[in-house]
Amino acid sequence: MRCEDAFNQTPPYVDIDLFASDRPLKDAVAANGGEGAAADLSEFGKRWGAAEMFDRARQANENVPRLHALDAGGFRRDRVEFHPAYHQFMAESIGAGLHASTWRADATPAPAPAQVLRAARFYMAAQVETGHLCPITMTRAAVGALALEPALVSRLMPEILSRRYDPQFRPWEQKAGITLGMGMTERQGGTDVRTNTTCAVPAGEGYTITGQKWFMSAPMCDAFLVLAQAPGGLTCFLLPRFRPGGDVNGLHFQRLKDKLGNRSNASSEVEFVDAFAWRVGEEGRGVRTIINMVQLTRLDCAVASAGIMRMALALAIHHARHRIVFEKHLVDQPMMRSVLADLALETEAATALVMRLCRSFDLAAGDPREAARARLLTPVVKYWVCKTAPGFIYEAMECLGGNGYVEDSTLPRLYREAPVNAIWEGSGNVMCLDVLRALAREGEAAQAVLTALAEECVGLPNARDAAGQLRTELAAHDAEVNARSAVGRLATLAATAALRTAAPAAAERFARSRLAQRQGAIYGADGIEADEAQRLIERALP
Ligand SMILES: Cc1cc2nc3c(=O)[nH]c(=O)nc-3n(C[C@H](O)[C@H](O)[C@H](O)COP(=O)(O)OP(=O)(O)OC[C@H]3O[C@@H](n4cnc5c(N)ncnc54)[C@H](O)[C@@H]3O)c2cc1C
């Protein structure tokens, strides 16, 4: 037999409509106000599901960005060179508005369902290439903080809202569109940013910034929101690549991180050498200011993780439908069917949960209950979905056997990518601490969210007990010790509620399994009956 005649191998999973082939996504979008957008989302799904996009993703990740810190003569260059495939993804995502479509020109939120529709696209894009989504998410999120400075907003918003990607290295006023990044983490600490030592001194129309950042991703962005110590305390600044007069600003890149995944994206270590910056928000309120950005990037971490899980699931089901083992397709082997159904259930819950959270963001401006829900549940959802993804992808990889462990299957790339969403923008424990903080600070409003979730789950298996246990854990003296357990429970309760609106049958099954005390939490160990398993798999991938 010649190699090319190989039989019982799975054809490539390409040229698919990432929207139309994903019933849980369609239902979650429709349940959260996006029912009229199916045709547009399907267009996007076809475009991103094309074979050429998957090949570009491979190229963008195999050809990692390179830093050119100095030129031949030792003069500073401080430029990062990306593979053309990366630029093509940037152009695609910006062309589709993923970097800004949730904003109006005055930096107020675009009307519902802007968040849900953007998230659906972001979720599909994440299935194909995640690295470039870093500057995309930071650009859209930065507006949340910049909104505090009307003068900056009126100058920057036309450039931010532009649907044209312009990678040229020149002052932003001369560009067709711009991207924004963020620099908070320093060598001595990323969580505790109060230890930042970067210094800001008032100078002319802005400040002079001196110091270093240990992680600053997407260094070819046109400006960065950074934290620095000003005379009045830790403050947020907008630091552009070019000074107002047009000279190159003082950003000296030391090196690029050699990362586990997220390879198409560059993450720099940078030194600010008398760099110019504008203040954003009041002096001393840096954390308060930048948290408006961070809340949105946290949301995107969860949406992207749900997207990556979806692709892993689709690859697993696709393989199991083609691969024959012991004279039967894998998908018809009872144990494999249980595993796939359980994975499908987990993805469906993650998808419903992130879309419901986006609905809260859509409604927050006019509804204080939804604003409280967005505040409390963002760290909950980021914690749970991002933490679920790596183990989930590993299980999906195993469904493909040896082929899943090989780079060509793309599962290794998804696997390497997944942990970063849990680590950056607040790692797991930090999310749990944030939930406790929200409960303490928001008082009645946060309690009302818990009550609403319990009511939304009334009558579902285990829901009452789960809601009761949650309250006990949260009220305990040592709430921090129990926080991971409580936040996980809160996430599954919120997921059950989200599923009940988007996919009632799945909600029932999810509640029965995930709201109970699971032993070991291994996928496929819940004894899902054959008919139900079949339904879940068919919903996931028709
Ligand atoms: C690929 C990549 C790109 C990044 N890009 C950027 C960027 O563009 N801009 C930027 O500013 N940063 C960026 N970061 C940095 C990232 O946000 C930080 O790594 C993250 O916030 C954690 O900070 P740290 O690494 O200093 O860890 P630490 O703050 O030292 O925390 C270490 C661990 O301790 C836990 N922990 C912290 N406090 C507590 C506590 N009180 N109780 C219990 N546990 C606790 C944390 O959850 C974490 O697991 C990036 C990171 C990566 C990996």
Side-chain angles (χ1 to χ4, degrees):
M1 188 180 75
R2 294 179 313 158
C3 280
E4 305 86 84
D5 296 335
F7 64 95
N8 201 20
Q9 284 286 23
T10 305
Y13 183 67
V14 293
D15 291 329
I16 16 155
D17 179 339
L18 296 174
F19 186 72
S21 61
D22 188 343
R23 180 79 193 271
L25 175 63
K26 279 161 52 183
D27 287 351
V29 167
N32 289 293
E35 59 280 354
D40 286 350
L41 291 174
S42 195
E43 272 308 299
F44 186 92
K46 274 188 241 160
R47 171 98 197 110
W48 281 77
E52 65 170 296
M53 296 294 259
F54 290 106
D55 197 47
R56 270 187 207 160
R58 178 190 58 75
Q59 292 176 42
N61 284 277
E62 284 178 2
N63 300 284
V64 298
R66 288 177 57 201
L67 171 63
H68 299 281
L70 306 169
D71 71 7
F75 297 103
R76 294 222 66 92
R77 275 195 90 212
D78 296 306
R79 310 230 195 128
V80 177
E81 192 176 64
F82 293 88
H83 189 269
Y86 171 90
H87 291 299
Q88 285 162 350
F89 278 116
M90 289 296 289
E92 289 278 349
S93 283
I94 288 177
L98 297 191
H99 69 303
S101 61
T102 55
W103 299 111
R104 292 189 170 108
D106 61 355
T108 56
Q115 293 274 359
V116 169
L117 298 187
R118 173 190 172 274
R121 292 185 170 91
F122 197 83
Y123 171 98
M124 289 188 267
Q127 294 178 43
V128 182
E129 209 299 299
T130 325
H132 84 284
L133 291 176
C134 172
I136 297 293
T137 186
M138 291 195 293
T139 302
R140 91 103 178 194
V143 178
L146 288 173
L148 292 172
E149 295 291 338
L152 273 178
V153 160
S154 62
R155 287 162 66 192
L156 285 167
M157 271 323 262
E159 303 284 338
I160 295 173
L161 290 178
S162 163
R163 295 282 175 108
R164 285 180 60 195
Y165 171 56
D166 185 345
Q168 297 178 87
F169 187 58
R170 48 168 63 184
W172 58 261
E173 299 91 333
Q174 300 170 22
K175 294 184 60 164
I178 62 171
T179 54
L180 304 172
M182 169 206 281
M184 290 197 292
T185 306
E186 295 189 1
R187 206 181 295 214
Q188 69 282 359
T191 303
D192 189 359
V193 291
R194 292 167 309 175
T195 63
N196 272 196
T197 58
T198 298
C199 183
V201 177
E205 63 165 299
Y207 286 71
T208 298
I209 310 280
T210 313
Q212 51 79 33
K213 295 291 169 185
W214 187 235
F215 276 94
M216 197 173 82
S217 289
M220 292 309 285
C221 285
D222 298 281
F224 302 85
L225 281 173
V226 301
L227 292 179
Q229 303 287 356
L234 193 65
T235 304
C236 182
F237 295 92
L238 182 71
L239 192 151
R241 284 302 304 270
F242 288 82
R243 294 171 181 278
D247 292 339
V248 176
N249 207 359
L251 289 83
H252 295 181
F253 297 122
Q254 308 298 305
R255 60 174 170 171
L256 299 184
K257 304 286 193 186
D258 185 5
K259 297 175 288 184
L260 169 69
N262 198 249
R263 306 278 294 175
S264 65
N265 178 32
S267 298
S268 71
E269 292 168 21
V270 61
E271 189 172 354
F272 302 138
V273 182
D274 296 333
F276 170 86
W278 293 281
R279 180 169 46 75
V280 180
E282 291 172 31
E283 278 194 13
R285 295 177 67 84
V287 174
R288 279 280 175 97
T289 302
I290 211 159
I291 204 74
N292 296 313
M293 172 177 189
V294 171
Q295 190 80 339
L296 293 171
T297 50
R298 286 177 178 171
L299 173 62
D300 276 358
C301 284
V303 176
S305 284
I308 300 172
M309 286 165 64
R310 161 68 196 176
M311 178 48 70
L313 172 72
L315 289 168
I317 296 177
H318 177 70
H319 179 77
R321 285 195 177 135
H322 287 89
R323 184 78 162 180
I324 295 172
V325 178
F326 298 133
E327 296 169 7
K328 262 201 223 168
H329 281 109
L330 273 176
V331 75
D332 296 323
Q333 301 280 5
M335 208 180 332
M336 180 58 92
R337 194 171 46 214
S338 292
V339 172
L340 293 171
D342 215 5
L343 292 173
L345 186 62
E346 193 83 5
T347 318
E348 177 137 17
T351 305
L353 185 59
V354 296
M355 290 304 157
R356 177 63 185 87
L357 181 56
C358 289
R359 177 75 172 156
S360 291
F361 276 84
D362 263 333
L363 302 178
D367 184 341
R369 285 168 310 176
E370 291 294 339
R373 198 167 176 132
R375 167 65 190 97
L376 181 66
L377 293 190
T378 300
V380 172
V381 175
K382 180 185 186 281
Y383 170 79
W384 187 69
V385 178
C386 298
K387 271 231 174 295
T388 303
F392 178 99
I393 295 161
Y394 149 66
E395 193 67 64
M397 181 188 284
E398 194 172 310
C399 294
L400 277 77
N403 285 355
Y405 198 70
V406 172
E407 290 293 334
D408 298 337
S409 75
T410 75
L411 277 154
R413 175 152 52 82
L414 301 182
Y415 187 64
R416 285 194 301 270
E417 184 70 30
V420 76
N421 282 329
I423 289 174
W424 69 13
E425 302 305 89
S427 313
N429 289 351
V430 175
M431 291 300 88
C432 294
L433 290 173
D434 194 41
V435 174
L436 297 182
R437 192 177 308 120
L439 285 163
R441 289 210 184 137
E442 311 290 318
E444 276 178 27
Q447 292 301 328
V449 176
L450 299 182
T451 306
L453 286 174
E455 282 168 6
E456 288 165 30
C457 295
V458 160
L460 286 172
N462 307 314
R464 214 177 128 154
D465 287 351
Q469 279 164 351
L470 175 63
R471 286 198 185 273
T472 310
E473 278 172 331
L474 291 173
H477 276 320
D478 49 359
E480 244 182 69
V481 174
N482 291 312
R484 278 186 170 225
S485 164
V487 173
R489 207 181 301 283
L490 178 48
T492 46
L493 203 64
T496 307
L499 276 175
R500 198 172 208 182
T501 326
E508 174 90 18
R509 160 49 69 182
F510 188 80
R512 214 176 318 142
S513 132
R514 303 320 199 253
L515 292 183
Q517 297 285 359
R518 297 180 88 205
Q519 298 299 324
I522 297 283
Y523 292 105
D526 263 349
I528 304 180
E529 301 75 23
D531 287 357
E532 196 175 3
Q534 195 60 35
R535 269 199 304 278
L536 282 163
I537 295 169
E538 279 301 322
R539 273 183 66 73
L541 201 64

